Amino acid sequence: MKKTIKNITIILISTCLVLFFIELSLRLVGLGNPIIYEKNLLFGYQPKSNQKVKRFNNSMITINNENFRINNLDSKGENKIYFFGDSVTYGGSYIDDKNIFSSKTCALLNKETIKFSCLNAGVNAYGLENILSRYNYVFNKDKNSNYIILLIPGSFKRNFIQINSLPYFTNNISNNYFRASLELIMYALDRFRNNIRFKKVDHKGNSLSLEFKEKILSDLILLKDAQIKNKKLRILISLSNPKNQDNYRESLENFILLKSKKINLDLINIQSKINDQKNIFHDVIHLNENGHHQYAEILSNLINTYEK
């Protein structure tokens, strides 16, 4: 009996130690303090206000009292620039506040006489409907500031995205002893659930469906309407990494650019302004620090041109 109790005790202690070291390792990687989101009836969801967390690569993520990602080191100029988009604009959790292109744009602009404040309204997984809905909400409250909308080809594939369909948290898990393990498990379960429930889309060839083409054209018309109403709105598109290009992506990107030109939408292909695109990507679509820096240089020049 004593031997059995001893063996059980050893097993329990060993299990606890393994779990402890797994949890510690995951926290060192950056898991355990996910950004907390909240639902919004107007534009789906947004990061909850007043957050400051450390994530991957010791990157700080700061969300202010108005639900925008900001860099607290920026000087607070009277002239505001709002940046809208999805995870490319948001910058991800692997790049620090000060190194995302919205912050770097302000850093470059504020070397001059006119001072700016840069507010990042990019949100992970936003579709074009989310982006435009949030843009319209902010623009109706502030019609005097500069606005940047950065799209990706995937923006047109998504409809109005809701938080319920995403592996993000609206509940704070920071008080959980195994919060890093919990975050990883919840993400894995969500991926597993989706793989079972939904058929994987296999794009063969370079053909776009008629339905998808109609949606793209409808979205582009909405963007043009927004641009007509706001002369201080700049709309850009960030294309995918050329290294990962295939016939379908190329067909989609060409269709977007062609139809934009046809309806006279001033859609700026931001990569067309970069000579060397080999070292600007973190993956297929997201940017590394060099990519964020190069985008900031282009955006600051755009703002400077308008202000002058």
Side-chain angles (χ1 to χ4, degrees), residues 136-281:
N136 286 325
Y137 173 77
V138 176
F139 177 61
N140 286 333
K141 295 169 67 175
D142 180 0
K143 297 187 176 179
N144 298 314
S145 295
N146 288 284
Y147 288 85
I148 301 288
I149 292 179
L150 180 73
L151 304 170
I152 63 171
S155 302
F156 297 90
K157 294 181 184 179
R158 303 166 186 161
N159 292 312
F160 190 79
I161 304 297
Q162 298 279 7
I163 189 70
N164 305 59
S165 63
L166 301 169
Y168 303 150
F169 288 83
T170 58
N171 184 35
N172 194 334
I173 62 169
S174 60
N175 292 327
N176 192 294
Y177 290 118
F178 291 93
R179 58 181 182 269
S181 302
L182 179 63
E183 182 182 355
L184 181 62
I185 291 169
M186 290 299 100
Y187 177 78
L189 285 175
D190 193 79
R191 291 294 298 269
F192 180 70
R193 175 181 68 94
N194 287 336
N195 287 337
I196 291 175
R197 293 176 61 202
F198 303 113
K199 182 180 179 181
K200 186 176 180 181
V201 178
D202 183 20
H203 297 296
K204 294 182 179 179
N206 60 357
S207 60
L208 306 177
S209 70
L210 180 60
E211 180 184 38
F212 190 22
K213 288 181 178 180
E214 288 176 351
K215 181 188 183 301
I216 292 172
L217 185 56
S218 176
D219 288 341
L220 291 173
I221 291 171
L222 289 174
L223 288 166
K224 183 181 178 181
D225 184 56
Q227 204 169 57
I228 290 171
K229 293 176 180 177
N230 181 8
K231 301 303 181 184
K232 299 181 81 171
L233 168 64
R234 299 290 180 269
I235 303 175
L236 303 95
I237 187 165
S238 179
L239 304 181
S240 54
N241 189 340
K243 293 179 182 178
N244 300 93
Q245 192 65 279
D246 57 33
N247 290 338
Y248 181 82
R249 284 197 185 98
E250 186 176 3
S251 179
L252 171 58
E253 293 171 358
N254 287 339
F255 183 81
I256 293 168
L257 294 173
L258 179 66
K259 290 301 178 183
S260 299
K261 189 174 181 180
K262 192 169 184 178
I263 66 170
N264 295 317
L265 169 66
D266 186 12
L267 180 65
I268 300 169
N269 176 4
I270 192 166
Q271 274 128 313
S272 67
K273 299 180 178 295
I274 298 175
N275 294 326
D276 183 10
Q277 299 180 26
K278 292 181 180 179
N279 189 32
I280 66 170
F281 288 100

Side-chain angles (χ1 to χ4, degrees), residues 74-92:
D74 281 341
S75 57
K76 302 300 184 288
E78 292 183 2
N79 301 283
K80 293 180 180 178
I81 309 173
Y82 295 95
F83 296 79
F84 294 85
D86 65 352
S87 53
V88 175
T89 301
Y90 172 72

Side-chain angles (χ1 to χ4, degrees), residues 86-88 91-92 94 124 280-288 292:
D86 65 352
S87 53
V88 175
Y94 57 92
N124 289 325
I280 66 170
F281 288 100
H282 173 73
D283 53 26
V284 175
I285 195 69
H286 299 96
L287 304 172
N288 58 25
H292 278 275

